[in-house]
Amino acid sequence: MLSRVTRAAGVGVRLRRACNTAAFLCSQPCMEKCPAAHVVFSRPYSSQKEKLDMSIFPVENIRNFSIIAHVDHGKSTLADRLLEITGTIAKTDQNKQVLDKLQVERERGITVKAQTASLFYNYEGMNYLLNLIDTPGHVDFNYEVSRSLSACQGVILVVDANEGVQAQTMANFYLAFEAQLAIIPVINKIDLKNADPERVEKQIEKLFDISKDKCIRISAKLGTNVEKVLQEVIEKVPPPSVNISDPLKALVFDSTFDHYRGVIANIALFGGEVQKGHKIMSAHTRKTYEVNEVGILMPNEQPTHKLYAGQVGYLIAGMKEVTEAQIGDTLYLHKQPVEPLPGFKSAKPMVFAGMYPVDQSEYNNLKSAIEKLTLNDSSVTIHRDSSLALGAGWRLGFLGLLHLEVFNQRLEQEYNASVILTAPTVPYKAVLSSAKLIKEYGKEEITVINPAEFPDKSSVSEYLEPTVLGTIITPDDYIGKIITLCQTRRAVQRDMMYIDEHRVMLKYIFPLNEIVVDFYDALKSLSSGYASFDYEDAGYQAADLVKMDILLNGNSVEELGTVVHKDKAYAVGKAMCERLKDAIPRQLFEIAIQAALGSKVIARETVKAYRKNVLAKCYGGDITRKMKLLKRQAEGKKKMRKIGNVEVPKDAFISVLKRQSEK
Amino acid sequence: MAAPGWLRPRARLAAALRCVRAPRNWKPRAQQPPRAEPVQAALYVHWPYCQKRCSYCNFNKYIPRGLDEESVRSCLTREAQTLIRLSQVQRISSVFFGGGTPSLASPLTIAAVLETVSRCAHLAADAEITLEANPTSAGASRLAGFRASGVNRLSIGIQSLDDAELRLLGRNHTADEALGTLEEAKKLFPGRTSVDLIFGLPDQSVSSWAGGLEELLQLCDDHVSLYQLTLERGTSLFKQVQRGSLPVPKQEVVAEMYESAREMLRDVGFRQYEVSNFARNGALSTHNLSYWQGSQYIGIGPGAHGRFVPRAHGESLREARIQTLEPDSWMKEVLAFGHGTRKRIVLSPLEVLEEVLVLGLRTDTGITHQHWQQFAAGLSLGDMFGSSEEVKELEDQGLLLLDNSVGYRQPWEGEVLVWPWNILNDLLAHRQECYSVNKSLCCVFGSSKIRLNPGALP
């Protein structure tokens, strides 16, 4: 496998070796020489949007590349510098993570929404079109990353000179490696006091089989050696191997929604050309559209006359919903169908959570906020749901945990919506043995999202749970604790290796439901924040699953039913009973809170009967006040949900169902 | 403002029932005979002044400077006259002077009020006339004066027999002084002297409480009222407890105090006829019983509350009435309009029923069918609650007794595990269901209208 790395990385090197790598000093003096210079460099000061002529960039002068990195290793800062150097954006102190447009992206230092920027760069007298295709920075968006990468021929792999290779560096590397892209290793943050680029180079050599002299040491923050990176992109990344004379073949690698113009699809042309007026068709939906506008992203939309094979840009064609421009789809001229690009798949949610308005009167506002947000994120699946306790809401499916968190945070920040988010669950599967059920479902293997629909063991030959392959990279001081943590999460070790003298990489197969709630927080806290974690889908495995019911005085509470692994039932049941005990107020009688598997009770808590009383005097003047108080209490009672004879306030449900905040 | 026949109370209730059963066919029936409110009422007189503020009290009270008692007196009599006439009652069944500290008033004032009452309505010679007395302001001679004015029952606020507790409560008397007053009162009002005690005090234990009660039971007369300390917002005691500088006993401990007191009182022959009231030898307070039985009462004096039908205005619905709180404003209003009623809330027949229910369950007899029928002609207890799941559950758990021949009551034989207020939540929740089935019903039985008395507005 590692030999392939050398080859992939080597290709880039070999292709551009012939070029003179003399330093390119300044873009400004060459303006007159550049055919596109006039248009390009006057653009920022022009009040009119002139259409660019993209034909001036032949395929051999195009480089499509991406920057990949672990969280916080400086991907966005490097992108800012590249944009500045090429004059795409003015050089000011305000350029902080220009491509990260969302508040949540800047706060969390992650990229949620991929952005693209076309850079013009004059190198050794030649004008190059460098398309920087920024990718989402998290494994939850793995599929988007792989689609974005499929529009590239090379990547800049950024590694923090202090932190070294992290779990996500590994995941990203393998994605690029498997796509056979040229890989330019860059060691960032060499200006930091604790920077140890030497050690990081060794890690890279050991893990990725890339010679350490190929690493470029930079400080994106200060701009040190950044120009060199650009030159390496030109030298090492091959131009796309496409042909303008082929029929149009465009990959949709991202899409955004604009309220005035509809869907804006980000595309990479693998063949032909596209311009306004073209009739195009989607390979996935088979719908035809007329192109209204094409252009490049700088990073804002800049219309062009045409886009040509090998180029990357955007296309607006009267698509009304983002689902019409699904990531991975292929667009072609409707009279000239082509073989679609491989690898298209619809987003597959892996983590589900219920979302409810805090107050039911907020339902419509929340609904519209969710709709607006999903306009830009077609990977969220939405099903209306209603809970007897929490009212009307939705069951949303997300690509992963971070995706869920980001979605929730964006709802709060961008739409000021406050929501109750239930603890995330994963989609289980059941292989049915009952002929009757098989007939009913029309298939033998069913997916169970809602615990209420969990089929009984008697009609099931096997339950399956989703798993992931998790990668943990940690200083070796924490190995013991981390292995214990993984064992408690039912994880099975697959690999363990030292990546340098002090750092260890562990690989485990985890049941997904063991990591969806608080695994990441637990890992971070026991490793003082040093361990990094990343995971990828690893299919389903057989599991001993049971449905656990919560009973109040013997009556099952439907919305608290959960599917758990048999080994975890006791701990989960106990925790739920304890939380309920704290949340259910004392009543006229004793309340037994029980967790049960079938008829077997596995945990119990008791709420003692109410003894407190207002035994104050009640004469003439007190009556009005007392009646008012009583009526208010009676009103409150109406809002409680009654399970058998037990009244349960909404807050009790929330405290049990809600995602527990980080501890 | 005469209501059309179909809007009158009895018709409403009957219609309500029919409607619950068959809402579609429901038509208001015209020309039902009006329900007759009894032609009598109890009278409450509020004396708003105190010498000193007690640390637990949030009643409407004022520490007067240069009190012009003559003016207060004339206002009280004027208001008594106005409101008795407004109610058109022919009989005042009992009078209660509360406060504040009514034993600070001169016997002359008490006499003046009683004289006015007996001029405006029939006040039987043996009608219960109670005065609340504070140990310090009720020397033997004053007590004799009150008796001469017509007072025939005394309620002494002893509160505690522990001097430290009395200081904590901000009382301006000692335990000895209180016992002295009790001694005098018993001589003057034999068999008609009541004492008040408070339990659940900071630092109080079950045994210290029981000890104090034991001592009092040796000396007291035939009526005892026990109150659990309620920390009222705005009182100094509330603030101290909030700040954490005073520990209050846990609810289990307070419950035990109550249970042990009930037992001790029962052992020496007291009947617990209401949640906080105990009597022996038949010395029940008829005035207070009339509240719990849902009878009419007229309230006079600053901040006094009343419940009566202002028949002189042609009304047929009972009103909850509140007098102006602040004594000086109240006096101005009485001088200008003859009364100081600040707020009038028209009670729907349902709301009257709610009060009957809530208050009735405080008593040991509970709510009898006969009693209920006085207020809910045509709508039996069974009609209202027979189908209620909640009531059934309360019955099943032994928290409520439904005796078909008698009515509803709480089972008081054993330990009172649940005190009435808690049960009432369930009953009230249910009656709302019962009445909100149909929109048209909501119109009839909907929220009460608040009438501001234009005459009483400043």
Side-chain angles (χ1 to χ4, degrees):
Chain A
M1 197 193 214
L2 287 174
S3 66
R4 271 174 60 201
V5 182
T6 329
R7 203 185 64 222
V11 170
V13 178
R14 197 166 58 243
L15 268 172
R16 305 309 307 173
R17 179 121 317 162
C19 297
N20 185 336
T21 51
F24 177 83
L25 294 171
C26 172
S27 53
Q28 219 59 19
C30 322
M31 263 176 68
E32 292 76 36
K33 293 183 212 154
C34 312
H38 168 69
V39 184
V40 174
F41 292 106
S42 64
R43 193 196 58 82
Y45 312 104
S46 162
S47 59
Q48 281 188 329
K49 271 197 172 178
E50 276 180 77
K51 280 192 178 176
L52 299 175
D53 177 7
M54 296 303 288
S55 65
I56 55 166
F57 295 108
V59 171
E60 54 275 18
N61 287 12
I62 297 173
R63 300 292 179 272
N64 295 326
F65 70 103
S66 185
I67 308 175
I68 54 180
H70 188 76
V71 172
D72 263 353
H73 281 199
K75 180 173 79 158
S76 299
T77 312
L78 177 58
D80 290 348
R81 289 300 91 75
L82 297 180
L83 263 58
E84 282 171 14
I85 290 174
T86 55
T88 311
I89 53 170
K91 188 170 179 174
T92 71
D93 291 342
Q94 268 87 57
N95 290 338
K96 288 205 173 111
Q97 302 170 11
V98 171
L99 296 183
D100 289 344
K101 288 180 180 169
L102 306 174
Q103 188 185 347
V104 44
E105 292 181 319
R106 293 179 183 208
E107 275 179 16
R108 290 175 167 245
I110 52 168
T111 303
V112 174
K113 197 72 195 151
Q115 294 287 334
T116 296
S118 293
L119 324 173
F120 303 116
Y121 189 65
N122 189 294
Y123 178 55
E124 297 183 338
M126 291 286 279
N127 278 313
Y128 288 92
L129 170 62
L130 308 180
N131 295 309
L132 165 56
I133 299 165
D134 195 12
T135 60
H138 192 271
V139 68
D140 280 0
F141 312 105
N142 220 325
Y143 175 63
E144 279 82 346
V145 177
S146 73
R147 288 304 88 193
S148 296
L149 291 184
S150 68
C152 300
Q153 286 73 45
V155 295
I156 301 171
L157 177 67
V158 180
V159 185
D160 185 304
N162 178 23
E163 290 190 359
V165 171
Q166 293 295 322
Q168 214 178 302
T169 319
M170 299 291 299
N172 283 323
F173 169 81
Y174 282 111
L175 281 176
F177 174 68
E178 275 157 27
Q180 302 191 22
L181 304 183
I183 294 169
I184 301 167
V186 165
I187 296 171
N188 189 22
K189 306 196 190 179
I190 54 166
D191 55 307
L192 288 186
K193 205 167 66 193
N194 296 326
D196 188 357
E198 199 103 356
R199 181 175 62 93
V200 179
E201 280 166 1
K202 277 186 201 152
Q203 288 178 347
I204 289 173
E205 194 166 59
K206 177 161 185 186
L207 288 167
F208 307 139
D209 204 8
I210 297 175
S211 160
K212 48 181 169 181
D213 2 295
K214 297 229 166 63
C215 295
I216 310 172
R217 296 183 182 185
I218 68 162
S219 163
K221 192 173 142 204
L222 306 177
T224 318
N225 267 343
V226 172
E227 195 97 34
K228 177 92 187 306
V229 175
L230 268 186
Q231 291 153 16
E232 283 283 293
V233 167
I234 291 168
E235 297 276 337
K236 285 190 180 173
V237 177
S241 77
V242 294
N243 203 328
I244 291 179
S245 58
D246 285 349
L248 172 68
K249 189 186 215 178
L251 168 75
V252 177
F253 64 88
D254 196 9
S255 61
T256 53
F257 184 81
D258 182 289
H259 276 281
Y260 303 102
R261 299 191 287 176
V263 176
I264 301 173
N266 288 7
I267 54 168
L269 273 70
F270 283 73
E273 55 181 57
V274 66
Q275 69 180 86
K276 182 177 176 176
H278 276 171
K279 287 254 184 352
I280 56 162
M281 188 177 243
S282 146
H284 174 59
T285 65
R286 303 270 159 189
K287 282 188 185 166
T288 49
Y289 304 92
E290 187 178 319
V291 177
N292 298 329
E293 184 180 318
V294 296
I296 57 170
L297 296 152
M298 299 195 67
N300 297 320
E301 288 113 37
Q302 171 68 39
T304 61
H305 292 289
K306 285 185 180 182
L307 284 176
Y308 299 91
Q311 296 180 352
V312 170
Y314 69 92
L315 170 147
I316 298 172
M319 295 174 179
K320 302 263 184 316
E321 288 173 30
V322 267
T323 48
E324 293 176 75
Q326 288 217 33
I327 295 173
D329 196 3
T330 304
L331 302 176
Y332 51 80
L333 292 176
H334 90 127
K335 291 248 171 72
Q336 287 170 281
V338 297
E339 183 72 19
L341 291 154
F344 173 81
K345 54 182 179 182
S346 295
K348 185 180 67 173
M350 286 309 286
V351 174
F352 292 84
M355 188 174 271
Y356 298 87
V358 170
D359 186 319
Q360 279 293 313
S361 65
E362 287 290 302
Y363 179 86
N364 283 326
N365 292 345
L366 182 57
K367 184 175 170 218
S368 107
I370 290 175
E371 277 168 0
K372 279 185 201 145
L373 205 46
T374 48
L375 278 177
N376 253 327
D377 189 352
S378 61
S379 54
V380 179
T381 62
I382 307 174
H383 295 286
R384 282 186 56 182
D385 200 358
S386 78
S387 150
L388 290 166
L390 305 177
W394 302 269
R395 180 153 286 268
L396 304 182
F398 300 95
L399 298 171
L401 262 191
L402 183 90
H403 189 205
L404 177 156
E405 271 175 33
V406 164
F407 188 88
N408 189 29
Q409 202 174 338
R410 287 186 68 185
L411 267 182
E412 285 176 4
Q413 287 176 348
E414 295 168 36
Y415 297 94
N416 199 22
S418 82
V419 300
I420 299 165
L421 199 61
T422 65
T425 58
V426 302
Y428 293 107
K429 284 181 178 176
V431 182
L432 301 171
S433 60
S434 136
K436 187 172 159 259
L437 278 182
I438 294 173
K439 199 175 162 199
E440 199 181 307
Y441 285 102
K443 54 191 169 188
E444 205 183 327
E445 192 179 280
I446 58 163
T447 301
V448 185
I449 291 165
N450 185 344
E453 289 157 11
F454 193 72
D456 188 73
K457 184 125 184 87
S458 61
S459 48
V460 167
S461 61
E462 197 177 31
Y463 294 114
L464 303 169
E465 65 178 340
T467 61
V468 293
L469 174 64
T471 302
I472 298 166
I473 291 184
T474 176
D476 55 7
D477 313 353
Y478 307 108
I479 294 180
K481 284 186 191 165
I482 289 174
I483 290 177
T484 310
L485 173 69
C486 292
Q487 281 166 350
T488 65
R489 302 301 176 118
R490 300 192 285 124
V492 179
Q493 200 182 83
R494 279 297 160 87
D495 195 6
M496 174 165 157
M497 73 175 280
Y498 273 81
I499 61 170
D500 61 26
E501 297 87 64
H502 299 297
R503 276 162 200 268
V504 180
M505 179 178 72
L506 299 156
K507 282 184 185 275
Y508 276 91
I509 295 283
F510 285 94
L512 179 60
N513 83 326
E514 293 290 339
I515 60 165
V516 291
V517 179
D518 59 354
F519 176 79
Y520 190 66
D521 299 331
L523 180 74
K524 280 283 171 196
S525 80
L526 65 76
S527 67
S528 310
Y530 284 113
S532 64
F533 176 69
D534 208 341
Y535 64 86
E536 59 191 276
D537 187 7
Y540 277 75
Q541 72 180 16
D544 205 353
L545 302 175
V546 285
K547 188 186 168 201
M548 186 175 71
D549 293 309
I550 297 293
L551 312 176
L552 295 180
N553 279 356
N555 295 295
S556 162
V557 189
E558 193 193 313
E559 47 269 70
L560 298 182
T562 44
V563 173
V564 288
H565 191 271
K566 210 173 167 188
D567 297 348
K568 286 300 181 75
Y570 173 73
V572 173
K574 189 164 181 291
M576 285 182 86
C577 289
E578 280 168 1
R579 249 183 267 155
L580 273 174
K581 187 193 174 182
D582 292 340
I584 297 179
R586 288 182 171 203
Q587 287 169 36
L588 302 182
F589 36 80
E590 192 173 278
I591 303 165
I593 304 168
Q594 296 166 309
L597 305 178
S599 58
K600 190 180 156 210
V601 172
I602 56 165
R604 176 186 168 125
E605 293 287 336
T606 306
V607 178
K608 283 198 202 151
Y610 190 72
R611 296 292 305 262
K612 192 184 167 176
N613 183 46
V614 182
L615 193 60
K617 48 175 97 185
C618 187
Y619 304 108
D622 310 307
I623 295 171
T624 308
R625 208 159 46 129
K626 290 280 142 70
M627 290 306 297
K628 216 183 246 177
L629 181 76
L630 272 174
K631 282 188 187 177
R632 208 167 49 224
Q633 286 170 352
E635 274 311 306
K637 248 175 125 67
K638 275 204 296 194
K639 287 184 192 145
M640 292 202 204
R641 174 137 148 65
K642 202 144 189 206
I643 313 284
N645 58 1
V646 182
E647 265 141 11
V648 187
K650 190 173 167 183
D651 288 351
F653 285 100
I654 295 172
S655 80
V656 178
L657 293 174
K658 205 176 73 177
R659 225 176 139 239
Q660 299 299 302
S661 53
E662 290 164 26
K663 285 166 205 139
Chain B
M1 194 184 112
W6 61 271
L7 258 177
R8 274 181 226 130
R10 173 183 265 166
R12 287 189 194 180
L13 282 167
L17 250 185
R18 278 195 302 280
C19 193
V20 170
R21 287 176 189 147
R24 273 159 206 263
N25 303 329
W26 182 66
K27 286 245 173 65
R29 243 210 285 164
Q31 299 306 319
Q32 288 278 330
R35 194 177 101 213
E37 279 274 3
V39 289
Q40 64 172 27
L43 179 74
Y44 174 77
V45 185
H46 192 78
W47 180 263
Y49 304 108
C50 287
Q51 268 175 351
K52 185 174 180 291
R53 219 171 280 274
C54 295
S55 66
Y56 59 93
C57 176
N58 73 338
F59 275 49
N60 186 38
K61 71 209 173 262
Y62 302 85
I63 313 298
R65 270 187 223 122
L67 173 65
D68 177 3
E69 185 163 349
E70 215 177 307
S71 303
V72 179
R73 183 187 310 144
S74 78
C75 285
L76 282 173
T77 54
R78 174 103 191 263
E79 189 170 48
Q81 180 180 320
T82 310
L83 295 185
I84 291 171
R85 284 187 180 155
L86 178 63
S87 73
Q88 291 186 347
V89 295
Q90 285 141 27
R91 212 175 139 236
I92 293 295
S93 49
S94 59
V95 181
F96 193 102
F97 292 90
T101 312
S103 53
L104 285 175
S106 94
L108 208 62
T109 300
I110 306 300
V113 172
L114 293 174
E115 196 196 287
T116 305
V117 172
S118 53
R119 240 190 311 111
C120 299
H122 177 64
L123 181 63
D126 61 348
E128 182 184 286
I129 314 288
T130 310
L131 179 96
E132 279 184 341
N134 220 3
T136 38
S137 56
S141 59
R142 280 183 78 81
L143 290 185
F146 289 129
R147 191 175 70 165
S149 318
V151 171
N152 57 19
R153 186 173 178 271
L154 206 70
S155 171
I156 309 172
I158 288 184
Q159 320 306 8
S160 167
L161 288 184
D162 180 318
D163 285 343
E165 284 176 359
L166 288 170
R167 277 194 296 276
L168 181 81
L169 292 172
R171 303 289 293 179
N172 57 357
H173 59 87
T174 61
D176 280 347
E177 283 169 330
L179 291 177
T181 304
L182 174 60
E183 207 50 42
E184 293 298 328
K186 270 162 58 183
K187 283 183 208 151
L188 289 162
F189 306 98
R192 303 194 64 128
T193 300
S194 176
V195 291
D196 287 359
L197 277 186
I198 303 182
F199 68 96
L201 301 176
D203 266 339
Q204 198 175 37
S205 67
V206 177
S207 62
S208 70
W209 156 246
L213 181 62
E214 181 82 57
E215 190 186 345
L216 188 74
L217 288 181
Q218 315 279 330
L219 304 166
C220 72
D221 199 16
D222 289 343
H223 195 279
V224 176
S225 300
L226 303 181
Y227 303 117
Q228 181 187 331
L229 175 69
T230 315
L231 292 167
E232 302 284 1
R233 210 166 267 283
T235 62
S236 75
L237 204 59
F238 177 86
K239 278 175 218 138
Q240 290 176 71
V241 172
Q242 282 293 96
R243 247 189 277 123
S245 51
L246 275 181
V248 282
K250 289 209 168 70
Q251 56 168 283
E252 278 79 8
V253 175
V254 179
E256 213 184 318
M257 289 178 184
Y258 180 60
E259 287 310 326
S260 59
R262 290 181 68 218
E263 206 170 304
M264 289 164 71
L265 280 151
R266 199 169 46 224
D267 288 349
V268 293
F270 279 87
R271 165 183 164 198
Q272 181 177 13
Y273 69 103
E274 195 257 358
V275 179
S276 10
N277 284 277
F278 300 79
R280 64 183 165 196
N281 303 324
L284 286 67
S285 162
T286 54
H287 183 87
N288 288 339
L289 262 180
S290 66
Y291 291 137
W292 304 322
Q293 287 170 344
S295 308
Q296 287 201 108
Y297 57 95
I298 297 167
I300 63 167
H305 286 239
R307 290 279 187 288
F308 65 91
V309 183
R311 287 199 189 279
H313 286 172
E315 301 289 345
S316 58
L317 292 179
R318 187 182 278 198
E319 290 181 359
R321 300 169 69 98
I322 305 170
Q323 311 307 107
T324 294
L325 283 172
E326 207 277 309
D328 290 342
S329 320
W330 169 79
M331 277 196 273
K332 273 183 207 145
E333 285 165 28
V334 175
L335 288 174
F337 312 110
H339 66 88
T341 305
R342 180 51 74 93
K343 199 175 177 188
R344 298 164 58 197
I345 302 162
V346 180
L347 298 177
S348 69
L350 174 64
E351 285 168 317
V352 174
L353 280 181
E354 285 168 2
E355 292 194 354
V356 167
L357 188 72
V358 166
L359 298 165
L361 283 174
R362 286 181 71 94
T363 64
D364 63 343
T365 45
I367 299 154
T368 62
H369 291 300
Q370 195 191 5
H371 175 56
W372 181 258
Q373 283 309 310
Q374 285 175 26
F375 299 92
L379 181 74
S380 74
L381 276 172
D383 289 335
M384 189 138 168
F385 297 109
S387 62
S388 161
E389 293 275 320
E390 285 94 345
V391 171
K392 221 183 168 140
E393 238 163 61
L394 291 170
E395 277 191 76
D396 290 349
Q397 289 159 22
L399 300 173
L400 191 69
L401 288 183
L402 175 54
D403 182 334
N404 281 329
S405 57
V406 184
Y408 280 168
R409 68 180 175 92
Q410 283 217 283
W412 278 19
E413 289 76 24
E415 189 192 12
V416 178
L417 276 175
V418 179
W419 295 325
W421 289 118
N422 306 336
I423 293 189
L424 289 163
N425 278 332
D426 274 336
L427 295 181
L428 285 186
H430 176 72
R431 63 83 205 154
Q432 283 185 339
E433 258 163 56
C434 181
Y435 278 94
S436 61
V437 172
N438 189 288
K439 274 270 159 71
S440 57
L441 271 180
C442 288
C443 303
V444 179
F445 290 98
S447 61
S448 44
K449 288 167 278 213
I450 295 178
R451 287 186 206 144
L452 280 171
N453 186 351
L457 282 174

